[in-house]
Amino acid sequence: MARVRSLVRGLVSSYALLGAMVVYGLASVPVALEYLTREEFGLWAIVMQFVAYLTMLDFGMTGSVGRFIIDQKDEHDRSKYGALLATGTLILALQGALLLLIGYFLAPWFARISYLPEPLYESFVTLMRAQCLIAAIGFPTRIFSQILYAHQRLDAVNASQILFFIGGLASMWLGFHFGAGIYSLLWSSIFGLVQSTAFTYVFAKRSGLLPGSGIGRVQWIQAVEMFRYGRDVFLVSLGTQLMTASQPVILARNFGLEAVATWSVGTRIFGLANQLVWKISDVAAPGLAEMMIRDEKAQLEHRYKQVAVVSIALAGWTAITLCQLNSLFVSVWTQNALSWSPRDDIFLGMWMISLAIGHSHNGFILVTKQVAGMKWVFVVEGLCFILIAATISVDFSDRFSSILKTSALTSALLSGTYGAWRIAHYFKVSLWRVMLLWPAPMVVVVVIYGCAATILWNAISAQSEIVRLIIHLAFSLTVGLTVFVRFGIPLQLRNEIWHRLYGVFPRRLLQGMRRPVSRNR
């Protein structure tokens, strides 16, 4: 029951966080475009992309520390727990210093390889160095969020991020209002660092999750073990970053910063939708790790299968919803200042499904700490994508479609297939069961919901964009969700969810809505 409560708490707060991210994105992009040129907006996107690459100097240690805390959190000897926190904090601090040094000295080189216009060169270097300083300071403070993660208190971490978006939007607007220009975007980063550190520390302290006798001494043997696991996590993250975040750099070199700005806006909902899908397996990870440590094998296999099936089916619903809404949303959101093709949304949906399969399976393998050859699969996948996409994305009219098709195909053939094979080997089940039977509910959702959405798209094509957007949104939240719940969630899990809800909410409120289930089914 405690795991179920933690999972529900984490999921609800995670989706609340996604809502805050949506509100932030809806408000921040129009505000930024109001005060900045498209080139300046694209410049900020490039800066954040390079900083994202540099934060990989974490070398997977943030995730490694969190995973090792799960191993130690049930120990009665709190000195070992404190020593682990001390070791993790020191390592993260040293890595933050390394990020700052590399970012500071390589900022001019990053500007040159991006072929930036001369007037934006100095702004890029300044923004890059400032953002690296903020990121470096934030490295050692990650220890508090990892403590909360290990103790399955993701709701507190998510609450901290929600406050970040609220305060970040306000601080960014104030910067624009007082004439700070593009440097206003740094204000929200500074606010986020201060707020998240204070919130997570206070929550961990008051919840009794910090060692009472002090943080302890650094243990170098533990550091070596964490580095070994962190190295594997880092290589997986590197491949993922190359695969999912190289598109703006390729577009900047081939088509300029306006193409980057269009990509940034056109894939904004795609990024949020991926988070919607991935949250299920991400939130379940601490509980699954606890089952591994306590050797609850049967329960582990049962729960993971449920997590994987529902996550993949949700990706199907989300992909069809994205195909309906995204191009219309971009036009309405930017008041037709930027346009995005519905054809590209189809390829985005395909990529979303392949990413969901790989994320669920390979994320579980990471939790086992038995990474093995998976790290090299991800690195090869990222390098293959860059080589192929940089070569074929030369036609301006097909610049986004070619990149998206390459992304979807590469993810499915490499990390997706490999992840399914590892899961089949881990649970000693047939590979075809994992590759064909587990995604079957997703296929049903895509076929039924997709056909209905296509009919609706053609039926209302003569309406205005805002009217079509509202109709498709209502359709996705009614018909689409109904199809997902009916065909995407296994019957046994639906009954279990109902039982949990029936015990939480007032019975009179739910008795009229309950659907009888035959005892013979």
Side-chain angles (χ1 to χ4, degrees):
M1 285 297 293
R3 288 177 187 151
V4 173
R5 285 196 299 269
S6 297
L7 178 62
V8 172
R9 218 163 35 196
L11 276 177
V12 171
S13 61
S14 294
Y15 291 141
L17 173 58
L18 284 178
M21 292 172 65
V22 170
V23 173
Y24 178 84
L26 288 173
S28 63
V29 171
V31 169
L33 290 175
E34 178 70 22
Y35 287 93
L36 303 175
T37 65
R38 292 186 188 178
E39 289 78 11
E40 287 176 326
F41 187 80
L43 176 68
W44 178 251
I46 289 291
V47 168
M48 296 307 295
Q49 198 63 70
F50 279 119
V51 173
Y53 278 119
L54 287 178
T55 55
M56 295 181 65
L57 291 170
D58 166 88
F59 295 119
M61 288 307 299
T62 299
S64 179
V65 170
R67 180 61 181 84
F68 273 79
I69 293 175
I70 295 176
D71 290 339
Q72 294 283 345
K73 69 184 182 68
D74 292 336
E75 290 285 343
H76 296 293
D77 187 354
R78 301 299 284 176
S79 63
K80 293 182 179 180
Y81 179 66
L84 175 64
L85 300 186
T87 305
T89 302
L90 176 61
I91 292 173
L92 292 173
L94 293 174
Q95 291 174 320
L98 179 62
L99 180 150
L100 178 59
L101 288 174
I102 294 178
Y104 183 88
F105 288 108
L106 291 187
W109 181 73
F110 288 145
R112 285 195 296 271
I113 66 173
S114 299
Y115 295 93
L116 298 175
E118 188 64 29
L120 297 177
Y121 183 91
E122 184 177 350
S123 296
F124 174 91
V125 173
T126 303
L127 286 169
M128 185 75 190
R129 288 172 172 172
Q131 192 62 41
C132 284
L133 174 61
I134 296 170
I137 296 173
F139 259 55
T141 66
R142 296 178 179 184
I143 192 68
F144 303 120
S145 62
Q146 290 305 303
I147 292 172
L148 296 175
Y149 167 83
H151 288 84
Q152 303 180 47
R153 292 311 308 264
L154 289 174
D155 53 322
V157 179
N158 293 331
S160 172
Q161 292 299 306
I162 291 173
L163 293 176
F164 158 72
F165 284 115
I166 296 173
L169 181 62
S171 57
M172 183 184 69
W173 179 83
L174 286 173
F176 284 132
H177 179 73
F178 288 107
I182 193 171
Y183 299 104
S184 304
L185 297 170
L186 292 172
W187 291 29
S188 60
S189 298
I190 295 171
F191 175 87
L193 174 62
V194 175
Q195 178 273 328
S196 61
T197 301
F199 186 95
T200 53
Y201 168 76
V202 171
F203 193 95
K205 182 71 173 177
R206 292 188 174 182
S207 300
L209 304 182
L210 298 179
S213 58
I215 196 168
R217 293 183 176 182
V218 174
Q219 299 292 324
W220 295 110
I221 295 179
Q222 281 187 330
V224 172
E225 293 175 352
M226 286 191 288
F227 263 118
R228 287 174 180 168
Y229 178 59
R231 173 201 59 195
D232 293 346
V233 175
F234 163 73
L235 290 172
V236 172
S237 299
L238 174 63
T240 302
Q241 193 77 3
L242 292 173
M243 180 67 216
T244 61
S246 298
Q247 291 83 357
V249 177
I250 295 173
L251 289 169
R253 288 180 61 87
N254 291 344
F255 305 108
L257 290 176
E258 287 199 25
V260 176
T262 302
W263 174 271
S264 176
V265 173
T267 59
R268 184 64 61 91
I269 291 183
F270 171 76
L272 293 173
N274 278 328
Q275 294 300 315
L276 174 72
V277 175
W278 298 350
K279 286 298 181 186
I280 296 177
S281 55
D282 290 345
V283 172
L288 296 174
E290 188 175 86
M291 294 180 199
M292 295 175 194
I293 296 168
R294 298 178 180 178
D295 201 28
E296 301 172 1
K297 295 181 180 179
Q299 181 74 354
L300 175 63
E301 180 178 355
H302 174 69
R303 284 302 183 196
Y304 174 71
K305 180 182 176 181
Q306 289 182 331
V307 167
V309 168
V310 173
S311 296
I312 296 170
L314 182 60
W317 173 83
T318 309
I320 300 300
T321 300
L322 183 76
C323 291
Q324 294 181 82
L325 302 179
N326 193 48
S327 61
L328 297 171
F329 175 77
V330 170
S331 297
V332 173
W333 187 26
T334 64
Q335 298 180 351
N336 291 312
L338 298 174
S339 62
W340 184 264
S341 171
R343 178 189 61 177
D344 293 335
D345 288 332
I346 297 176
F347 300 127
L348 273 178
M350 295 168 59
W351 189 21
M352 177 178 295
I353 292 174
S354 64
L355 285 175
I357 294 173
H359 184 84
S360 178
H361 295 333
N362 293 303
F364 178 85
I365 298 303
L366 277 179
V367 172
T368 67
K369 296 196 294 186
Q370 301 170 11
V371 181
M374 186 175 76
K375 52 185 177 291
W376 304 118
V377 172
F378 273 83
V379 172
V380 170
E381 176 180 294
L383 294 175
C384 287
F385 164 74
I386 292 177
L387 292 174
I388 297 172
T391 303
I392 68 174
S393 60
V394 293
D395 184 359
F396 185 85
S397 62
D398 195 43
R399 62 195 187 280
F400 298 135
S401 297
S402 60
I403 286 181
L404 290 170
K405 286 184 284 188
T406 304
S407 302
L409 187 61
T410 308
S411 296
L413 291 180
L414 293 175
S415 61
T417 303
Y418 179 83
W421 174 74
R422 286 293 304 274
I423 289 296
H425 182 265
Y426 185 88
F427 289 115
K428 296 179 174 57
V429 297
S430 168
L431 175 61
W432 297 110
R433 177 183 296 274
V434 178
M435 294 188 67
L436 297 180
L437 295 184
W438 291 15
M442 176 272 295
V443 175
V444 175
V445 171
V446 168
V447 171
I448 297 177
Y449 181 29
C451 290
T454 301
I455 294 172
L456 178 64
W457 179 277
N458 293 324
I460 63 173
S461 59
Q463 302 297 321
S464 65
E465 289 177 333
I466 184 64
V467 171
R468 292 166 63 196
L469 179 63
I470 294 173
I471 293 175
H472 280 296
L473 178 60
F475 182 79
S476 66
L477 295 177
T478 52
V479 176
L481 274 181
T482 301
V483 172
F484 163 67
V485 172
R486 176 61 182 83
F487 298 100
I489 303 178
L491 177 62
Q492 181 183 6
L493 181 58
R494 292 205 309 270
N495 290 339
E496 183 177 351
I497 291 173
W498 172 257
H499 176 74
R500 301 291 187 187
L501 291 176
Y502 196 72
V504 173
F505 292 98
R507 294 189 177 186
R508 292 182 180 179
L509 180 65
L510 298 177
Q511 278 176 344
M513 299 186 292
R514 185 176 183 181
R515 178 183 174 183
V517 178
S518 173
R519 294 176 181 266
N520 297 323
R521 293 182 64 177

